[in-house]
Amino acid sequence: MNGKKGILIVVSGFSGAGKGTIMERLLKDYPDTYALSISATTREPRPGETHGKEYFFVTEEEFQAMVRDNALLEYAQYVSHYYGTPKGYVLQQLEAGKDVILEIEIQGALKVKEAYQDALLLFVTPPSAAELKKRLSGRGTETQEVVESRLSRAWQEAQGVECYDYLVVNDDLEECVGNVHAIIQGEHARVARNHALIEKIRAELKGFAKGE
Ligand code: ADP
Ligand code: 5GP
């Protein structure tokens, strides 16, 4: 640990683009580097999903109480359900130096960028719309009707891609995970994220200058 705060990372992309798959791999490959925020949602768990792992599954009343208590970093409605990011865990992990990933949709992403200007926004896309449809249907977790509504929502979301910092194409999974890791780690080297170190080196150098 070098005392540096982590980077707040927002990952968005069409439903079925592979965000969950990419995040799972990142956390497995770099468990000490990344922390994944677990959202609260009012939607029903899919088969195999458990409370506290993929999501905190809550009632609409419980969700509204979190909103009232200012316990969410952001929240949004997506295809008739609410989704939100619990604030406490994210802030605590950033403070501990972890890069914290929020896998959220675009309305939430924009709210995060407004509140945290140094957040890094990544947008994940498959190489084509046909591949998106194939992955979304192939996942087999939604009815045909839900698949259609998510594809229709994807078209709307595609209009917002320019709000993001980086586009990540998820064609070959290995390559994609490597690219995401490289983008995030590259961000750490930005001058704007290293003021404290720069000031420290300047102060040290000033000592040399006096001695001349
Ligand atoms: P999202 O979280 O964006 O909704 P998922 O991670 O659930 O998407 O991925 C959707 C489906 O596509 C899953 O069945 C997953 O196994 C598959 N998938 C993810 N990445 C790739 C890839 N690079 N190539 C082929 N299939 C993929
Ligand atoms: P799903 O129902 O497929 O798990 O998620 C639907 C959408 O909600 C995805 O685009 C996902 O990224 C987004 N989402 C998940 N959690 C949150 C959250 O906490 N806030 C916002 N704004 N969107 C979220």
Side-chain angles (χ1 to χ4, degrees):
M1 175 81 62
N2 57 8
K4 259 182 83 173
K5 273 180 74 172
I7 297 178
L8 181 57
I9 301 148
V10 171
V11 175
S12 302
F14 317 120
S15 181
K19 302 179 297 294
T21 309
I22 298 165
M23 297 310 110
E24 200 179 312
R25 277 294 309 275
L26 264 185
L27 288 163
K28 189 168 150 271
D29 292 354
Y30 309 98
D32 298 332
T33 305
Y34 299 111
L36 185 66
S37 160
I38 300 171
S39 297
T41 182
T42 59
R43 86 153 159 74
E44 292 294 313
R46 294 183 188 127
E49 286 184 334
T50 46
H51 183 77
K53 187 164 177 267
E54 286 80 10
Y55 283 104
F56 296 109
F57 296 99
V58 298
T59 63
E60 202 148 325
E61 291 70 31
E62 287 169 330
F63 195 93
Q64 293 308 336
M66 292 170 95
V67 172
R68 273 197 310 276
D69 295 345
N70 194 27
L72 298 177
L73 198 83
E74 62 72 39
Y75 69 96
Q77 198 173 4
Y78 178 91
V79 191
S80 79
H81 291 294
Y82 287 104
Y83 294 79
T85 305
K87 198 187 276 181
Y89 176 80
V90 173
L91 299 184
Q92 174 202 331
Q93 293 295 311
L94 285 174
E95 210 52 54
K98 292 264 183 120
D99 292 333
V100 182
I101 303 175
L102 316 183
E103 193 209 309
I104 64 178
E105 52 68 69
I106 186 163
Q107 302 167 70
L110 297 183
K111 286 185 211 158
V112 169
K113 190 73 183 180
E114 226 176 273
Y116 301 87
Q117 267 120 44
D118 58 355
L120 175 67
L121 270 55
L122 312 182
F123 193 94
V124 179
T125 180
S128 69
E131 177 64 20
L132 178 67
K133 188 170 183 185
K134 193 171 133 208
R135 286 185 195 170
L136 199 48
S137 309
R139 190 167 65 185
T141 48
E142 276 92 6
T143 61
Q144 193 52 37
E145 195 191 342
V146 173
V147 167
E148 294 300 330
S149 70
R150 285 177 177 233
L151 285 172
S152 155
R153 172 83 180 213
W155 179 83
Q156 290 171 26
E157 289 184 335
Q159 313 311 309
V161 176
E162 280 83 359
C163 302
Y164 288 75
D165 298 309
Y166 289 91
L167 182 70
V168 174
V169 179
N170 178 21
D171 192 352
D172 176 77
L173 182 64
E174 297 294 319
E175 197 179 311
C176 180
V177 170
N179 286 343
V180 171
H181 181 63
I183 289 169
I184 297 168
Q185 295 317 304
E187 276 297 305
H188 277 284
R190 277 193 187 274
V191 166
R193 294 190 192 273
N194 287 280
H195 286 313
L197 177 61
I198 294 164
E199 286 309 319
K200 175 181 161 286
I201 293 173
R202 277 193 183 133
E204 289 168 3
L205 290 173
K206 204 171 171 190
F208 289 144
K210 269 190 209 151
E212 272 179 7

